[in-house]
Amino acid sequence: MTDRVNKIGFYQDLADLMNAHPDWYETLGEVDFTLGVVMADESGSDLRVLLHFEELGCAEVSPLPEGGEASCDCWLEGDTASWAEMFDDIASNGRATGKRTINSLTLVGDHIDVRGGDPMGVDKFFRFNQTIQQFLDGAAQLAPASA
Amino acid sequence: MALATDESVRELPEMTPMGNPLDWSWLRGSRAEWGMKPTPGRRGLTMMDIATGAYGEVLDDPPYRSMAPRGADIDEETPDMGYILNHKSQVWADNVIELYEEAVARQWSSTRDIPWNELQELPSDIEHAMCQLCTVLTEIEMIATDLPAKWMWRMNHHFLEAKMFLATQIMDEARHSDVFRKRALANGGGLLLSRSEPESLLRSILEAKTYTQASALLHLLGEGFILDVFRQGELIAPTHVEKKIFRLSMQDEARHVAYGTMHIRQAIAGDPDVADEIHEALDHGEQFLIEFGTSPVLSSALAVLLGGGSEHVEDKGFPMQSLLATKIFTSYLARCERAGLNRIDRTDLPLDLLGIDIDSFDRNGV
């Protein structure tokens, strides 16, 4: 997954999947949440992406400029290898398992952190956590070629 | 829609056939706010959509103390219902209307939404630890039902949305008591020990002298702590079934914390002297929370789950518990700062023992 998770197209594919299946998210309820993903790579191919969740879908996937994460409710910051490991687990098991769920990864260890300029924005990560996890679990549904 | 004309009203009877008086003045419409016609958004018609004109004007000191709906033409003779929370800052939070809509949209069912038939047989120590954790959680979650219920009927009905939000909290907490009770029983285990440690914390919340003190103890301190316990629960959940239970509960709890944080902020902004009474309540509450968080039953059960079994409580369980305690209290202190309450300079929490370095503490919680 390492070669895919640091491409913005991967997150657009996840958004397209979410938007194609609002019924999967209906019982979880509507969301209004802007999440940044900031991924650092030793090779220098960093990724900074903004994900805006609205109602039952992901309304926007766009590049996040340097420092632009301040415009998000909160952002997830970590190294590409940890993200790849999480998505590998999702692809293998159909969903994130054990300590590789996004809540667990941000709770222990120091590979992926949830950050924000306002605790109220960070708390949105918890308020919409099941939706975010389900969005990420969508990676298991993506065809390898397009993922 | 046009108002009825004076002419048509004049033709209507003044008494019922039984001889009781009739009042047709409502047929002329409300004095000022007839015809607002809010537009539904894509989600439908939300409370934010209808908060227009007088309907959305939440006064600091509403003139009535009755159940009359805000925005209606209210009879001057409307009775006093005996409300004691009649100032906006005593109950309100700037985010409460959005939180109410969010709560309504994100309700879930412990019966329908948890895949109970996918629970797996677990090693005996793990099953016992999970059942013990669920016993504690099913016990303490009802406090957040009892507490709002104790105060809601004393809140001026002008602050309707705050009361509606607290009603969702009551439902959320009932569901948490329900789901953890179900989990304790559903995998062949059952409820285990109920010890006295939680009772001091629960009693201090219930017996708080003011609603704002109670809210600080419940929403900011207690639920902030339980939010992090749910985060830990999701981390240590042995299967995806428990993970979903903890994630869905976490979402609910985070809404309550969001309300409490912003309510305390509003309360202090409305009356800076309130900060002292909140500090006083938290001085006691933090000690009770430490007592509860380090209780022999809860901490041993969490250590087994965090360690992945009783054989790893010392090399994995307790060290991880200690690491997570740092996160719990860092988040709590950051939320206090956000609420406008400087606890860092006042708290008696053992910050050194908790691994919190005040000098490097970012008061934004970043």
Side-chain angles (χ1 to χ4, degrees):
Chain A
M1 281 274 187
T2 311
D3 57 336
R4 286 184 258 154
V5 301
N6 59 355
K7 308 279 191 301
I8 197 167
F10 180 73
Y11 299 90
Q12 186 60 59
D13 288 345
L14 290 175
D16 291 344
L17 184 70
M18 182 182 195
N19 296 334
H21 298 282
D23 50 312
W24 294 355
Y25 292 87
E26 203 160 7
T27 58
L28 296 180
E30 287 90 353
V31 182
D32 181 8
F33 178 44
T34 304
L35 176 69
V37 174
V38 177
M39 208 174 284
D41 193 316
E42 282 178 358
S43 68
S45 54
D46 296 355
L47 175 75
R48 308 170 68 82
V49 60
L50 176 148
L51 305 170
H52 178 60
F53 296 93
E54 198 175 296
E55 297 169 8
L56 299 175
C58 184
E60 182 183 348
V61 179
S62 60
L64 195 58
E66 186 86 24
E69 56 268 29
S71 65
C72 300
D73 290 310
C74 63
W75 66 93
L76 299 169
E77 191 169 327
D79 58 89
T80 307
S82 299
W83 281 92
E85 198 178 320
M86 178 186 77
F87 282 117
D88 282 340
D89 179 60
I90 290 171
S92 303
N93 298 296
R95 61 168 76 90
T97 63
K99 291 175 181 163
R100 294 196 185 87
T101 62
I102 196 63
N103 167 65
S104 300
L105 286 164
T106 54
L107 185 61
V108 290
D110 53 5
H111 296 298
I112 300 179
D113 283 333
V114 56
R115 294 177 179 273
D118 180 353
M120 302 302 292
V122 174
D123 280 351
K124 278 192 169 187
F125 176 66
F126 312 129
R127 275 158 60 186
F128 301 118
N129 197 269
Q130 179 67 32
T131 298
I132 302 307
Q133 187 61 62
Q134 199 161 303
F135 171 81
L136 298 171
D137 284 350
Q141 312 281 326
L142 298 181
S146 66
Chain B
M1 185 187 294
L3 299 183
T5 63
D6 285 350
E7 212 167 297
S8 63
V9 173
R10 265 203 305 274
E11 290 165 9
L12 294 166
E14 290 180 6
M15 307 285 275
T16 67
M18 299 289 287
N20 297 317
L22 291 167
D23 180 354
W24 296 100
S25 58
W26 57 267
L27 195 52
R28 296 193 184 91
S30 177
R31 275 194 294 268
E33 299 290 342
W34 182 261
M36 296 297 287
K37 203 175 183 186
T39 310
R42 284 194 300 178
R43 290 170 62 177
L45 190 64
T46 67
M47 292 298 287
M48 289 81 83
D49 296 328
I50 66 163
T52 53
Y55 300 108
E57 197 180 328
V58 183
L59 302 175
D60 285 338
D61 292 293
Y64 301 105
R65 297 182 177 189
S66 71
M67 291 188 125
R70 193 178 66 230
D73 286 347
I74 301 173
D75 186 349
E76 294 293 334
E77 303 297 314
T78 192
D80 187 322
M81 298 295 283
Y83 295 135
I84 59 172
L85 298 170
N86 292 302
H87 193 281
K88 185 179 180 182
S89 68
Q90 290 177 310
V91 299
W92 198 256
D94 279 345
N95 54 358
V96 76
I97 303 181
E98 288 85 350
L99 286 171
Y100 168 73
E101 283 290 348
E102 186 179 310
V104 170
R106 297 182 75 79
Q107 290 294 301
W108 52 281
S109 158
S110 74
T111 302
R112 180 194 62 212
D113 297 325
I114 304 300
W116 294 108
N117 57 3
E118 294 172 29
L119 280 168
Q120 292 165 19
E121 189 176 345
L122 300 172
S124 178
D125 55 346
I126 300 283
E127 182 62 33
H128 276 79
M130 181 53 68
C131 288
Q132 182 56 55
L133 176 60
C134 289
T135 304
V136 173
L137 292 175
T138 202
E139 177 175 3
I140 65 170
E141 283 297 275
M142 282 306 274
I143 184 67
T145 289
D146 290 350
L147 190 277
K150 173 186 170 178
W151 289 98
M152 275 171 66
W153 72 282
R154 317 306 299 271
M155 291 178 184
N156 194 309
H157 205 65
H158 185 83
F159 310 120
L160 179 67
E161 294 90 340
K163 297 174 84 166
M164 288 159 64
F165 172 73
L166 291 172
T168 69
Q169 181 186 347
I170 287 175
M171 186 61 231
D172 292 343
E173 305 295 354
R175 184 171 53 247
H176 297 173
S177 280
D178 151 355
V179 78
F180 292 114
R181 188 174 179 84
K182 283 177 179 166
R183 171 57 190 86
L185 273 61
N187 209 25
L191 293 171
L192 292 172
L193 280 176
S194 170
R195 297 281 295 268
S196 60
E197 292 86 3
E199 301 300 322
S200 305
L201 177 64
L202 303 183
R203 185 182 291 271
S204 75
I205 294 171
L206 266 183
E207 293 181 349
K209 289 177 192 158
T210 67
Y211 173 69
T212 297
Q213 277 188 330
S215 175
L217 288 167
L218 177 73
H219 295 114
L220 203 55
L221 180 67
E223 300 218 65
F225 175 78
I226 295 300
L227 168 60
D228 283 301
V229 169
F230 287 166
R231 291 197 70 200
Q232 290 180 43
E234 200 270 354
L235 165 76
I236 59 191
T239 74
H240 71 280
V241 181
E242 289 91 354
K243 279 195 180 294
K244 192 167 186 187
I245 291 172
F246 282 108
R247 272 201 297 267
L248 291 173
S249 301
M250 178 206 308
Q251 295 188 147
D252 298 338
E253 213 73 0
R255 282 195 302 274
H256 311 158
V257 175
Y259 162 74
T261 307
M262 296 312 281
H263 165 56
I264 299 301
R265 188 175 182 81
Q266 182 120 19
I268 294 171
D271 179 4
D273 291 343
V274 164
D276 284 338
E277 75 176 49
I278 297 172
H279 275 304
E280 214 171 282
L282 291 176
D283 288 342
H284 297 293
E286 286 168 3
Q287 295 312 312
F288 289 135
L289 185 69
I290 289 281
E291 192 182 307
F292 169 60
T294 57
S295 70
V297 163
L298 179 62
S299 57
S300 56
L302 282 173
V304 169
L305 292 165
L306 286 165
S310 52
E311 71 276 23
H312 290 301
V313 291
E314 285 177 289
D315 63 326
K316 290 182 184 170
F318 291 128
M320 194 177 279
Q321 211 166 13
S322 172
L323 177 80
L324 294 173
T326 307
K327 290 211 171 198
I328 287 174
F329 286 98
T330 302
S331 302
Y332 162 66
L333 292 171
R335 286 192 194 102
C336 286
E337 291 289 326
R338 183 65 172 87
L341 207 58
N342 177 3
R343 289 298 295 166
I344 297 166
D345 297 335
R346 169 150 177 163
T347 184
D348 286 330
L349 286 169
L351 299 181
D352 287 347
L353 269 177
L354 290 166
I356 298 171
D357 177 6
I358 301 176
D359 294 334
S360 64
F361 183 82
D362 185 327
R363 296 187 179 208
N364 288 322
V366 179

